[in-house]
Amino acid sequence: MVLADLGRKINNALKSLTAESVIDEAVLDNILREICAALLESDVNVKLVQNLRKNIKQIVNFEELGRGVNKRRLIEKSIFDELCRLVDPGVEPYKPKKGKANIIMFVGLQGAGKTTTCTKLAYHYQRKGWKTCLIAADTYRAGAFDQLKQNATKAKIPYYGSYTENDPAVLAAEGIEKFKKEGFEIIIVDTSGRHKQETALFEEMMQIAEAAKPDHYIFVMDGTIGQAADGQARAFRDAVPIGSIIVTKLDGHAKGGGAISAVAATGSPIIFIGTGEHIHDLDPFKARPFVSKMLGMGDIGGLIET
Amino acid sequence: LFSFFQNLTAAKTLTREDLDPMMAKMREHMINKNVASDVADHLCQSVTESLTGSKLGKFTSLMKTIKQNLEPSIRKILTPRTSTDLLRDIFSAQNSGRPYTITFVGVNGVGKSTNLSKICFWLLQNNLKVLIAACDTFRSGAVEQLRVHVRNLGAVHPGSTVELFDRGYGKDPAGIAKDAISYAANGGFDVVLIDTAGRMQDNEPLMRALAKLVTTNNPDKIIFVGEALVGNEAVDQLTKFNQALKDFSGVREPRQIDGIVLSKFDTIDDKVGAALSMTYTTGQPILFVGTGQTYTDLRRMNVKSIVNSLLAK
Ligand SMILES: Nc1nc2c(ncn2[C@@H]2O[C@H](COP(=O)(O)OP(=O)(O)OP(=O)(O)O)[C@@H](O)[C@H]2O)c(=O)[nH]1
Ligand SMILES: Nc1nc2c(ncn2[C@@H]2O[C@H](COP(=O)(O)OP(=O)(O)OP(=O)(O)O)[C@@H](O)[C@H]2O)c(=O)[nH]1
Ligand SMILES: [Mg+2]
Ligand SMILES: [Mg+2]
């Protein structure tokens, strides 16, 4: 499972709490060292890890703690809360409205998994009874239209694209007009990969956005990304109002900590994770249940209510 | 970040206690540059070992000493130990009248097909005849992607020979590669570039299929494409690709990754750590660095600038 390894390490660190007869600053420091090391090994942003350590040290301030305070519980709870903060921006995920056209635009770095995930998401909505379609507005990458076309055909999802039009904004506008007329409810727009260092690509994204007027932007992040995640995520957030995140490629060994850093950078929730190349390989994601599961519900479950 | 290290200026013998807190900072610094934790650990450990018990000059800061000690180790890891002159190898194959074969491998979406095409561009510039073998028979659009590249490459190099060898989707990649190589031998091609599907290093059936492709065709070079964006996974990817080539090959002397293309180097600013993680893990050279999405965005690695980026604030 995603982050399972990290969960095990953090859990072990927490278990060592039970073994200690006296819980003091040194014990806390030890636990924090282990947890921070585990987070860094999972590619969580260095600054976020530093903040997490600082916040916990502030909450569990041994000099100011009253005699009656259950230190073990306090430490556990502060760790749980900080981990939740890492993956839970505290905003409600976007909900499409029935009976109207909901336009969803995918953005992200090159090769992150946008095109693949577009079809997965379309398939997800289609199965739930929404009238769903796809627009291929990547005119940059070789074979991009064929890729989307083949995926959409396999999933029996209507699509729009062109081999000759080379302005993605025009394509998006045309496709949306057509599908709106036909009464589609979920219109997903795929765009090409881009990165913050190339301004022309970001300008193109803004032009597509202007033409498509999306109700919702989904930022797709590769689950194997490292410390560059934060800077890229911030740049995307500054350019378009990202609404949610999908983390891909979590079927392998990756723990997804880099991609998780995008939650803090964008203030947006992770709504799905990609767990394979096939159309079914998309799992819904909910932050708080995820953290409690990661920490092993049994030990920490009681803390969620407090 | 390192300002308080400057205070330690008195001449003294360094102890672990002096070093530990600063090495912890150094470790975090390297991780922030996207060096894998394990690799940062190993490097810091060896610096600690070599500096413990040594004398710190009166006016040198400890941080400066640490960096001075670290620099040559980093440089050594990054500096290729084997020849990176692909053209020489290709010409030597040409002289013996057979096509030189290169297989591109790696996880999903890292830039295998794109950088294969950039390398093709470079080979065409060197007047070589290139056949591209479409052995990703799985991912939607993979064949068409290469077809577009071959068409573009032919257009920018009029009079050159570049062709696509494909058998569509769903077929056995090992067999297609084999047919492509014999087609190239008969057709007087100098180089065969074999594109493969992206795969997760833990996916056993797919890793077995890759090992089979390698065993069947014994390519001259196995090039691993890894993206500069990748974090700690760099280590696991390379270790497991090598392990799979070994475990699933069924031959006594299995092949291993021969070199690396570090792609998307234009997307990471100064967070260049993946270069170090990858070379440290394999001991193999970075043959090319991908610096963009067009055919000319292919560079040789500049060891010095990577070392500088890693150590700079
Ligand atoms: N194993 C695995 N592979 C995935 C997943 N999602 C996408 N991929 C693969 O990742 C590669 C890149 O996916 P694409 O959908 O082409 O990525 P993209 O973001 O559209 O790429 P560009 O359009 O070039 O920016 C393909 O090989 C996909 O099959 C996933 O969840 N797991
Ligand atoms: N910025 C940048 N983008 C790159 C670079 N190399 C490749 N890309 C982009 O990364 C995306 C994926 O590239 P591909 O060549 O399709 O990757 P792949 O490894 O063949 O992908 P799969 O076959 O699906 O596993 C495309 O959008 C490329 O244009 C690079 O050096 N810099
Ligand atoms: Mg795409
Ligand atoms: Mg490819």
Side-chain angles (χ1 to χ4, degrees), chain B residues 208 211-212 214-215 243-255:
Chain B
R208 278 189 188 278
K212 181 183 165 195
V214 166
T215 314
Q243 193 65 40
L245 289 177
K246 189 161 150 248
D247 292 349
F248 303 143
S249 71
V251 295
R252 180 114 27 95
E253 283 178 41
R255 295 289 304 274

Short mmCIF file of all heavy atoms in Angstrom, two decimals, chain B residues 208 211-212 214-215 243-255:
data_model
loop_
_atom_site.label_atom_id
_atom_site.label_comp_id
_atom_site.label_asym_id
_atom_site.label_seq_id
_atom_site.Cartn_x
_atom_site.Cartn_y
_atom_site.Cartn_z
N ARG B 208 10.35 -9.32 -16.27
CA ARG B 208 10.75 -10.56 -16.95
C ARG B 208 10.77 -10.36 -18.45
O ARG B 208 11.69 -10.81 -19.15
CB ARG B 208 9.77 -11.69 -16.61
CG ARG B 208 10.04 -12.37 -15.30
CD ARG B 208 9.15 -13.61 -15.13
NE ARG B 208 9.28 -14.14 -13.80
CZ ARG B 208 10.28 -14.95 -13.41
NH1 ARG B 208 11.20 -15.33 -14.28
NH2 ARG B 208 10.35 -15.37 -12.17
N ALA B 211 13.84 -8.50 -19.41
CA ALA B 211 15.02 -9.37 -19.36
C ALA B 211 15.08 -10.27 -20.59
O ALA B 211 16.14 -10.52 -21.17
CB ALA B 211 15.01 -10.20 -18.08
N LYS B 212 13.89 -10.72 -21.02
CA LYS B 212 13.83 -11.57 -22.20
C LYS B 212 14.28 -10.80 -23.44
O LYS B 212 15.05 -11.32 -24.27
CB LYS B 212 12.40 -12.09 -22.38
CG LYS B 212 12.24 -13.02 -23.57
CD LYS B 212 10.80 -13.45 -23.76
CE LYS B 212 10.62 -14.06 -25.14
NZ LYS B 212 9.20 -14.18 -25.49
N VAL B 214 16.29 -8.37 -23.58
CA VAL B 214 17.75 -8.18 -23.50
C VAL B 214 18.49 -9.48 -23.83
O VAL B 214 19.44 -9.49 -24.60
CB VAL B 214 18.14 -7.65 -22.10
CG1 VAL B 214 19.64 -7.77 -21.87
CG2 VAL B 214 17.68 -6.20 -21.94
N THR B 215 18.04 -10.58 -23.25
CA THR B 215 18.71 -11.85 -23.49
C THR B 215 18.61 -12.26 -24.96
O THR B 215 19.58 -12.73 -25.56
CB THR B 215 18.09 -12.97 -22.62
OG1 THR B 215 17.95 -12.47 -21.29
CG2 THR B 215 18.97 -14.19 -22.60
N GLN B 243 18.83 -5.79 -10.94
CA GLN B 243 18.52 -7.08 -10.30
C GLN B 243 17.67 -7.95 -11.22
O GLN B 243 17.93 -9.15 -11.37
CB GLN B 243 17.78 -6.80 -8.98
CG GLN B 243 17.67 -8.01 -8.07
CD GLN B 243 19.04 -8.47 -7.58
OE1 GLN B 243 19.90 -7.65 -7.27
NE2 GLN B 243 19.26 -9.78 -7.57
N ALA B 244 16.68 -7.33 -11.85
CA ALA B 244 15.78 -8.09 -12.73
C ALA B 244 16.54 -8.61 -13.95
O ALA B 244 16.35 -9.76 -14.37
CB ALA B 244 14.60 -7.24 -13.16
N LEU B 245 17.41 -7.79 -14.51
CA LEU B 245 18.19 -8.23 -15.66
C LEU B 245 19.04 -9.45 -15.28
O LEU B 245 19.28 -10.34 -16.09
CB LEU B 245 19.09 -7.10 -16.18
CG LEU B 245 18.37 -5.94 -16.89
CD1 LEU B 245 19.36 -4.85 -17.31
CD2 LEU B 245 17.60 -6.44 -18.12
N LYS B 246 19.48 -9.45 -14.03
CA LYS B 246 20.30 -10.55 -13.55
C LYS B 246 19.43 -11.79 -13.26
O LYS B 246 19.69 -12.87 -13.79
CB LYS B 246 21.00 -10.09 -12.27
CG LYS B 246 22.05 -11.00 -11.75
CD LYS B 246 22.98 -10.25 -10.79
CE LYS B 246 23.49 -11.20 -9.76
NZ LYS B 246 22.98 -10.91 -8.41
N ASP B 247 18.40 -11.59 -12.46
CA ASP B 247 17.59 -12.72 -11.99
C ASP B 247 16.79 -13.40 -13.09
O ASP B 247 16.59 -14.61 -13.06
CB ASP B 247 16.62 -12.27 -10.90
CG ASP B 247 17.34 -11.86 -9.63
OD1 ASP B 247 18.55 -12.12 -9.54
OD2 ASP B 247 16.69 -11.28 -8.74
N PHE B 248 16.29 -12.62 -14.04
CA PHE B 248 15.35 -13.18 -15.01
C PHE B 248 16.00 -13.50 -16.35
O PHE B 248 15.32 -13.86 -17.31
CB PHE B 248 14.17 -12.22 -15.23
CG PHE B 248 13.42 -11.87 -13.97
CD1 PHE B 248 12.90 -10.60 -13.77
CD2 PHE B 248 13.23 -12.83 -12.97
CE1 PHE B 248 12.21 -10.29 -12.60
CE2 PHE B 248 12.54 -12.53 -11.80
CZ PHE B 248 12.04 -11.25 -11.62
N SER B 249 17.31 -13.35 -16.44
CA SER B 249 17.94 -13.52 -17.75
C SER B 249 18.14 -15.00 -18.09
O SER B 249 18.09 -15.39 -19.25
CB SER B 249 19.30 -12.83 -17.77
OG SER B 249 20.20 -13.55 -16.96
N GLY B 250 18.36 -15.81 -17.07
CA GLY B 250 18.60 -17.23 -17.31
C GLY B 250 19.94 -17.51 -17.97
O GLY B 250 20.16 -18.60 -18.48
N VAL B 251 20.83 -16.54 -17.99
CA VAL B 251 22.16 -16.81 -18.55
C VAL B 251 23.23 -16.62 -17.48
O VAL B 251 23.01 -15.96 -16.46
CB VAL B 251 22.48 -15.89 -19.77
CG1 VAL B 251 21.54 -16.20 -20.91
CG2 VAL B 251 22.40 -14.42 -19.38
N ARG B 252 24.39 -17.19 -17.71
CA ARG B 252 25.44 -17.19 -16.71
C ARG B 252 26.00 -15.79 -16.48
O ARG B 252 26.23 -15.36 -15.37
CB ARG B 252 26.56 -18.17 -17.12
CG ARG B 252 27.69 -18.23 -16.15
CD ARG B 252 27.89 -19.57 -15.41
NE ARG B 252 27.47 -20.79 -16.02
CZ ARG B 252 28.26 -21.59 -16.74
NH1 ARG B 252 29.51 -21.26 -16.99
NH2 ARG B 252 27.79 -22.73 -17.19
N GLU B 253 26.21 -15.06 -17.58
CA GLU B 253 26.74 -13.70 -17.41
C GLU B 253 25.72 -12.67 -17.88
O GLU B 253 25.76 -12.21 -19.02
CB GLU B 253 28.05 -13.56 -18.19
CG GLU B 253 29.20 -14.21 -17.46
CD GLU B 253 30.49 -14.12 -18.24
OE1 GLU B 253 30.75 -13.05 -18.81
OE2 GLU B 253 31.20 -15.14 -18.29
N PRO B 254 24.81 -12.33 -16.98
CA PRO B 254 23.73 -11.43 -17.37
C PRO B 254 24.22 -10.01 -17.64
O PRO B 254 25.27 -9.60 -17.15
CB PRO B 254 22.80 -11.44 -16.16
CG PRO B 254 23.67 -11.81 -15.01
CD PRO B 254 24.75 -12.69 -15.55
N ARG B 255 23.46 -9.32 -18.45
CA ARG B 255 23.78 -7.93 -18.76
C ARG B 255 23.30 -7.02 -17.64
O ARG B 255 22.41 -7.38 -16.87
CB ARG B 255 23.07 -7.54 -20.07
CG ARG B 255 23.57 -8.31 -21.28
CD ARG B 255 24.96 -7.85 -21.65
NE ARG B 255 24.99 -6.40 -21.89
CZ ARG B 255 24.70 -5.84 -23.05
NH1 ARG B 255 24.38 -6.57 -24.09
NH2 ARG B 255 24.76 -4.52 -23.18
#
